[in-house]
């Protein structure tokens, strides 16, 4: 099969061509699924996020006018994950303070430090810690921005980041023994 | 240390990927199609609503324009053969012989009234109970003028100009009727608009009295010899000036002496001259002797039609299975029957109908084949670019088969059935002509069609349920076609028409943009149709 350029695929996607959507999915589904994995607790949620994200992308791709489709798609997925978090937070009143990271780490039997393992460590952080850590350490947002996105205070954001780091450090240390 | 931790995870996240579940595209594709379907239905409803509202707006705008002309009364409709009784004023010496023409008394033969004139209550025109529709279209200001002039002039010398009867109303006349109306020349001597106003109810209830009043007041004479029966002829009559429309011949009723000369030897004018204008010979009018004057612009009719049809389509591709029947068998089920639906908005004028709308239908190609010896190299399929020699080379289909997956070349033994469905929305521009026979209408039509592709779907299946799902690449997004057909309808009351409608659409161009697959689709659609006339 002759491969089409990403520009041609995007142009066709803007015309709602199903084949183009299939090709765009083919090109980016793995990367986006990786992102979904470390923004969610489990694989099932990651799959749901993947589907919701691509539907959102196909419905809004006409708005895309940048040069980096991957970055744009990634941002879509992150925003969806944040929306999901805020929705759950309002509905369930999530309180992460009850979660003891050390206990959690003690239950973890990971023994490797490759990419998959590291991402797995992130995905197993408490939800709010995970989001703060991802947004700060991986995406590069400031605490002020994170506080706005997660509807928490800057202090809470900093505190969550510190706890997340502590958990991850401990985990890495345990894995390196 | 903190930064170190951050960097570790940041680097790990860079270009991190994990294989998405294999069925994730299937789920996503199904969700997208469901979403598109819902969106399409929404668009169709919006379009239909816009058409409907636009039609209503036009109708009411037009209707307002009509009513502003004043003196428009719509009373009812004749549902059966009508009888019109016109009272004679004996004092005026109107000739009663329907076959005879007197100098001052026009004799109108064979008039059937469907829409009677709505005249003031004391009108000289009497419509009996069989007349149910009255539609006066214009004010009868000429009558007032006439009244003034009448007061100022000698009755015997009323000028022909004053006798011109303003066109005010529509009357349907049956050309086959055997009725004769003799109206005296005082027809134009009606005092005022109020005097002429016809209350249909009153006319129904007290036709004789009403006539009597008129006779007493104006000493007008309208003689009715026999019945006037309805049907094919429409006469638009005003109190002072008349218009006659007939199916085959549309004529004016001239009540002006000036216009009388226009009534030629063939005597196609109806002359209803004033008595005073005695020099003008009134001529007898037979059913074929009605001529046309002006035509009001109010005879536009708007309608909305909806048709559910059974659609037959031709094959838009073909199977070319290996010639050895021992090895493989193919059955083409092209042209499956589908239900199509359409909604139209139209306008009718002088029996010509112009309409447009939206129609949804499908072209479908199904193929079942069996490979007896499971030898893929013995089967060759050609279908919209699905070309195979041993395996399906996905030349013209985009599928959900993942790149790099060995399934991108589907071995033909993996499936034995395919189904291609191409779905279109068709927008016709149709010109039709309505032939009326009693309560039946026959409406042949021709048209130009623009058809837009809204989806296409290819599915390859096996008995085990395996399928490959995709869509054709090289297919045109739109096509132009020509259509012809017709319908037979039964008129039910004032607004409804029910019948059968058939349409044949042919597309001269190929359905595929690939010159290798040159198939010209056509569709034959037939089904019940309902039309609502505004």
């Amino acid at each position: 099969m002759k491969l089409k350029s990403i520009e041609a695929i995007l142009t066709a996607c803007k015309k709602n061509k199903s084949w183009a959507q299939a090709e765009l999915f083919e090109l980016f589904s793995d990367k986006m699924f990786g992102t979904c994995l470390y923004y969610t607790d489990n694989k099932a949620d990651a799959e749901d996020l993947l589907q919701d994200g691509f539907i959102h992308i196909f419905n809004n791709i006409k708005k895309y006018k940048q040069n980096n489709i991957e970055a744009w798609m990634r941002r879509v997925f992150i925003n969806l994950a944040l929306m999901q978090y805020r929705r759950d937070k309002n509905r369930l009143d999530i309180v992460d303070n009850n979660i003891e990271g050390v206990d959690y780490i003690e239950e973890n039997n990971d023994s490797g430090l490759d990419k998959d393992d590291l991402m797995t460590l992130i995905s197993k952080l408490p939800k709010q810690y995970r989001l703060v850590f991802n947004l700060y350490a991986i995406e590069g947002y400031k605490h002020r921005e994170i506080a706005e996105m997660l509807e928490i205070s800057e202090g809470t954001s900093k505190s969550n980041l510190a706890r997340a780091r502590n958990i991850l450090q401990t985990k890495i240390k345990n894995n390196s023994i | 240390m903190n930064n170190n931790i951050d960097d570790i995870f940041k680097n790990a996240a860079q270009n991190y990927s994990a294989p998405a579940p294999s069925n994730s595209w299937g789920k996503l594709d199904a969700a997208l199609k469901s979403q598109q379907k819902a969106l399409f239905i929404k668009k169709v409803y919006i379009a239909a609503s816009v058409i409907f509202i636009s039609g209503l707006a036009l109708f009411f705008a037009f209707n307002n324009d009509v009513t502003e002309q004043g003196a428009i009364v719509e009373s009812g409709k004749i549902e059966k053969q009508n009888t019109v009784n016109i009272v004679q004023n004996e004092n005026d010496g109107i000739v009663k012989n329907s076959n005879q023409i007197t100098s001052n008394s026009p004799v109108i033969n064979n008039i059937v009234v469907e829409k009677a004139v709505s005249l003031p209550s004391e009108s000289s025109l009497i419509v009996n109970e069989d007349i149910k529709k009255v539609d006066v279209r214009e004010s009868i200001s000429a009558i007032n003028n006439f009244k003034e002039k009448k007061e100022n002039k000698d009755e015997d010398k009323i000028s022909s100009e004053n006798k011109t009867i303003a066109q005010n109303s529509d009357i349907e006349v049956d050309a086959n009727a055997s009725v004769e109306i003799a109206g005296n020349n005082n027809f134009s001597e009606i005092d005022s608009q109020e005097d002429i106003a016809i209350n249909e109810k009153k006319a129904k209830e007290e036709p004789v009295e009403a006539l009597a009043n008129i006779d007493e007041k104006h000493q007008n004479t309208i003689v009715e010899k026999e019945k006037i029966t309805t049907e094919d002829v429409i006469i638009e009559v005003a109190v002072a000036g008349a218009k006659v429309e007939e199916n085959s011949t549309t004529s004016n009723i001239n009540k002006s002496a000036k216009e009388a000369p226009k009534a030629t030897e063939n005597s196609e004018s109806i002359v209803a001259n004033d008595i005073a204008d005695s020099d003008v010979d009134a001529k007898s009018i037979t059913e074929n002797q009605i001529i046309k004057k002006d035509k009001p612009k109010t005879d536009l009719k708007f309608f909305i039609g909806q048709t559910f049809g059974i659609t037959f389509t031709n094959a838009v591709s073909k199977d070319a299975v290996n010639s050895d029947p021992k090895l493989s068998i193919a059955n083409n089920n092209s042209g499956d029957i589908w239900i199509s639906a359409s909604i139209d908005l139209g306008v009718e004028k002088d029996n010509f109908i112009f309409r447009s709308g939206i129609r949804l239908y499908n072209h479908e190609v199904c193929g079942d084949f069996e490979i007896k010896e499971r030898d893929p190299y013995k089967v060759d399929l050609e279908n919209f670019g699905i070309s195979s020699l041993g395996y399906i080379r996905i030349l013209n289909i985009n599928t959900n088969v993942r790149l790099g997956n060995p399934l991108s070349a589907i071995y033909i033994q993996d499936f034995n059935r395919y189904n291609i469905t191409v779905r279109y929305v068709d927008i016709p521009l149709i010109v039709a002509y309505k032939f009326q026979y009693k309560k039946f209408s026959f409406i042949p039509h021709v048209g130009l069609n623009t058809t837009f592709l809204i989806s296409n779907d290819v599915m390859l299946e096996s008995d085990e349920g395996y399928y490959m799902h995709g869509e054709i690449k090289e297919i045109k997004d739109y096509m132009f076609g020509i259509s012809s057909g017709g319908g037979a309808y039964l008129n039910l009351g004032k607004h409804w028409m029910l019948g059968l409608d058939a349409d044949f659409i042919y597309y001269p161009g190929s359905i595929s943009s690939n010159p290798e697959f040159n198939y010209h689709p056509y569709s034959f659609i037939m089904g019940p149709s309902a039309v609502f006339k505004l």
Side-chain angles (χ1 to χ4, degrees), chain A residues 17-19 21-22 25-26 30 33 37 47 51 54-55 58-59 115-116 118-119 122 133 137 165 169, chain B residues 1-2 5-6 9-10 12 14 16-21 24-25 27-28 32 35 398 402-403 471 477:
Chain A
K17 297 292 183 184
S18 180
W19 65 265
Q21 293 172 339
F25 180 85
E26 181 63 40
D30 289 352
F33 188 63
L37 281 174
E47 286 184 37
Q51 178 165 327
F54 270 102
I55 289 175
F58 294 143
N59 288 339
K115 280 187 177 181
D116 287 340
L118 290 173
M119 292 302 109
I122 292 176
F133 182 80
R165 282 173 173 162
Q169 281 175 350
Chain B
M1 182 61 184
N2 288 342
I5 288 291
D6 291 355
F9 284 94
K10 186 174 183 178
Q14 292 288 339
Y16 176 70
S17 65
S24 55
W25 170 251
K27 292 179 180 176
L28 179 60
L32 287 170
Q35 193 180 55
N398 290 295
R402 305 187 63 184
L403 298 177
E471 66 176 16
D477 289 332

Side-chain angles (χ1 to χ4, degrees), chain B residues 401-512:
Chain B
V401 179
R402 305 187 63 184
L403 298 177
N405 191 310
L407 290 179
S408 59
I410 307 290
Y411 284 96
I412 200 166
Q413 68 266 31
D414 291 338
F415 69 94
N416 56 8
R417 188 180 306 117
Y418 65 85
N419 184 305
I420 301 173
T421 302
V422 187
R423 181 170 296 171
Y424 289 101
V425 163
D426 183 67
I427 300 178
L429 294 174
I430 286 174
V431 179
Y433 189 82
K434 185 172 76 174
F435 294 99
Q436 192 81 23
Y437 177 73
K438 294 185 177 177
K439 287 189 173 181
F440 295 95
S441 296
F442 302 95
I443 310 176
H445 68 255
V446 294
L448 299 175
N449 297 61
T450 307
T451 299
F452 298 93
L453 175 75
I454 55 172
S455 71
N456 78 80
D457 185 81
V458 178
M459 187 173 288
L460 305 178
E461 299 174 283
S462 73
D463 292 335
E464 290 75 30
Y466 168 80
Y467 72 92
M468 184 186 77
H469 200 217
E471 66 176 16
I472 302 162
K473 284 182 184 176
E474 294 176 317
I475 186 167
K476 290 180 179 174
D477 289 332
Y478 59 89
M479 296 185 295
F480 296 106
I482 53 176
S483 65
S484 64
Y489 292 87
L490 174 64
N491 299 307
L492 298 175
K494 182 180 177 182
H495 294 295
W496 284 99
M497 289 170 58
L498 297 179
L500 281 175
D501 199 277
D503 200 8
F504 179 83
I505 310 170
Y506 176 71
Y507 300 93
S510 172
I511 195 171
S512 174

Side-chain angles (χ1 to χ4, degrees), chain B residues 99-116:
Chain B
N99 297 320
Q100 186 176 353
I101 302 172
T102 64
S103 61
N104 293 324
S105 303
V107 179
I108 304 173
N109 289 326
N110 305 326
I111 296 178
V112 172
V113 177
E114 184 179 12
K115 295 180 177 180

Side-chain angles (χ1 to χ4, degrees), chain B residues 12-86:
Chain B
Q14 292 288 339
N15 297 321
Y16 176 70
S17 65
S22 58
N23 62 344
S24 55
W25 170 251
K27 292 179 180 176
L28 179 60
D29 190 40
L32 287 170
K33 280 186 165 35
S34 174
Q35 193 180 55
Q36 287 173 356
K37 189 176 179 181
L39 184 65
F40 170 73
I41 292 171
K42 186 178 177 182
K43 286 180 179 177
V44 167
Y45 274 115
I46 291 172
S49 301
V50 168
I51 290 173
F52 181 74
I53 292 169
S54 302
L56 281 181
L58 282 172
F59 171 73
F60 286 117
F62 189 84
N63 214 28
N64 289 337
D65 182 51
V66 171
T67 54
E68 284 172 1
Q69 296 177 30
I72 298 175
V73 179
E74 183 170 341
S75 308
K77 185 178 182 180
I78 296 175
E79 294 178 347
K80 56 182 180 181
Q81 297 278 313
N82 301 314
T83 301
V84 177
N85 297 319
I86 301 176

